[in-house]
Amino acid sequence: MKYAIVTGASKGLGEAITKRLFEEQMAVISVSRTENEELKKLAAEKGVNYRHFSCNLSLDKEIQEVFMEVAHVIFKGEPEEILLFNNAGVIEPIHTVGSLDQTPTIRNIKVNLIAPILITNLFLNKAQHTNTTIQVINVTSGAAVHPIEGWSVYCSSKAGLNMFTQTAALEQWELGTNHKIFAFSPGVMDTKMQETIRSSSQDAFKDLEKFIEFKEKNVLLKADVVAGALVDLVLSGTVESGKVYHINDLLK
Ligand SMILES: NC(=O)c1ccc[n+]([C@@H]2O[C@H](COP(=O)([O-])OP(=O)(O)OC[C@H]3O[C@@H](n4cnc5c(N)ncnc54)[C@H](OP(=O)(O)O)[C@@H]3O)[C@@H](O)[C@H]2O)c1
């Protein structure tokens, strides 16, 4: 049996990934602060094994408690493979350096970088001495490699996530395991995160007009299209561990 864990499944890309996994009849564990009732209903209709765990990924104590329980639930079924989608993310704070508030700054690094590190570590640890293969999908951003004024914290957390992915993949290769860990950059998608970006102030975010135009000109990617391409890649068995994939590589 295969199991998927999707963080940030309540909205946006995470919700779309979860719906696509339901189509594959895959058992899914959703982790976020709020529960998406539509997913619960859909899983029941399709007869798919689905559970939601509430967790604030900016709190390390909650991460430890919740993911120990998630690991317990999953490993007792001796799964052949676990797909771990580290998808939850936050864009804020959107401000230039010198005007950053401490709380959202720390929260951003915790949700975007520390949580994926802790969760990946926990699952690779639990997989030792089992026959379970882990595939970790870290959802990153083009902002990891392109500095965007006003997004210094987001750019830094996603750059850190890319480096964590590459380093952990090298280690697993050296250890001779079958575990794979890769990053995926989804492009600019029509989700709540883009609403937050469009509601930022021109003073804080130089490219505001450009992002408002993306919406007006209808060039934002649909989350279900992006999720479809990602899940196809994950299930293809062709993933190159350590690679940072971009949606444009998959949609052409
Ligand atoms: N949208 C884009 O254009 C874009 C571009 C590049 C990369 N990305 C990346 O794609 C991923 C998904 O983004 P999205 O656009 O789908 O964002 P979104 O619509 O804003 O959804 C974010 C998800 O993250 C969860 N989340 C946020 N803070 C959390 C916390 N403290 N604890 C637990 N869960 C938390 C939210 O769940 P709750 O609120 O229920 O907790 C929600 O399900 C992110 O990693 C993002 O950085 C997005």
Side-chain angles (χ1 to χ4, degrees):
M1 186 180 189
K2 286 188 187 185
Y3 248 105
I5 302 161
V6 183
T7 70
S10 60
K11 301 184 190 87
L13 180 62
E15 176 184 13
I17 291 170
T18 304
K19 286 182 176 168
R20 181 64 172 71
L21 292 170
F22 287 170
E23 282 171 28
E24 301 295 330
Q25 290 291 306
M26 196 171 296
V28 180
I29 287 192
S30 131
V31 183
S32 53
R33 290 165 303 179
T34 56
E35 177 163 21
N36 180 322
E37 291 298 326
E38 191 195 336
L39 288 178
K40 197 158 96 178
K41 253 200 261 165
L42 199 61
E45 276 165 30
K46 290 188 175 288
V48 182
N49 184 347
Y50 167 77
R51 263 183 86 174
H52 172 74
F53 285 79
S54 176
C55 179
N56 185 338
L57 294 168
S58 68
L59 304 175
D60 38 319
K61 193 164 167 280
E62 268 191 38
I63 293 175
Q64 177 70 11
E65 283 169 8
V66 170
F67 282 90
M68 283 297 279
E69 199 186 336
V70 170
H72 176 73
V73 167
I74 295 185
F75 278 103
K76 76 177 178 212
E78 298 182 4
E80 149 209 345
E81 187 175 28
I82 299 172
L83 308 176
L84 168 59
F85 292 86
N86 283 315
N87 162 76
V90 286
I91 181 79
E92 290 152 309
I94 301 179
H95 279 293
T96 49
V97 180
S99 302
L100 297 170
D101 286 334
Q102 188 168 310
T103 303
T105 298
I106 294 170
R107 188 190 303 123
N108 182 302
I109 304 287
K110 285 187 164 178
V111 175
N112 293 357
L113 179 58
I114 306 217
I117 291 175
L118 295 179
I119 302 163
T120 304
N121 180 59
L122 192 148
F123 275 84
L124 289 181
N125 178 275
K126 296 280 176 201
Q128 287 172 21
H129 317 300
T130 72
N131 294 319
T132 302
T133 301
I134 313 276
Q135 197 171 172
V136 182
I137 303 97
N138 287 326
V139 179
T140 181
S141 167
V145 289
H146 299 290
I148 298 174
E149 290 165 63
W151 292 11
S152 60
V153 183
Y154 183 73
C155 292
S156 304
S157 61
K158 294 296 190 180
L161 187 61
N162 282 9
M163 186 49 80
F164 171 70
T165 303
Q166 289 162 346
T167 310
L170 262 183
E171 291 171 354
Q172 292 305 312
W173 183 81
E174 190 66 39
L175 288 166
T177 73
N178 291 324
H179 305 314
K180 288 184 177 179
I181 170 161
F182 71 98
F184 172 69
S185 181
V188 190
M189 295 176 293
D190 199 1
T191 64
K192 292 263 180 239
M193 185 173 279
Q194 285 297 321
E195 286 177 22
T196 307
I197 291 166
R198 289 194 299 274
S199 67
S200 61
S201 84
Q202 181 76 68
D203 290 350
F205 180 39
K206 196 174 151 220
D207 289 339
L208 178 62
E209 284 304 322
K210 187 167 104 184
F211 278 75
I212 291 173
E213 262 188 31
F214 285 158
K215 178 69 177 171
E216 285 171 357
K217 294 195 170 154
N218 204 21
V219 296
L220 296 171
L221 292 167
K222 301 278 173 250
D224 58 344
V225 172
V226 176
L230 173 60
V231 172
D232 284 346
L233 171 69
V234 168
L235 299 181
S236 69
T238 62
V239 162
E240 220 178 286
S241 194
K243 188 168 166 171
V244 180
Y245 287 84
H246 193 280
I247 186 62
N248 290 346
D249 307 329
L250 308 183
L251 290 182
K252 61 189 177 191

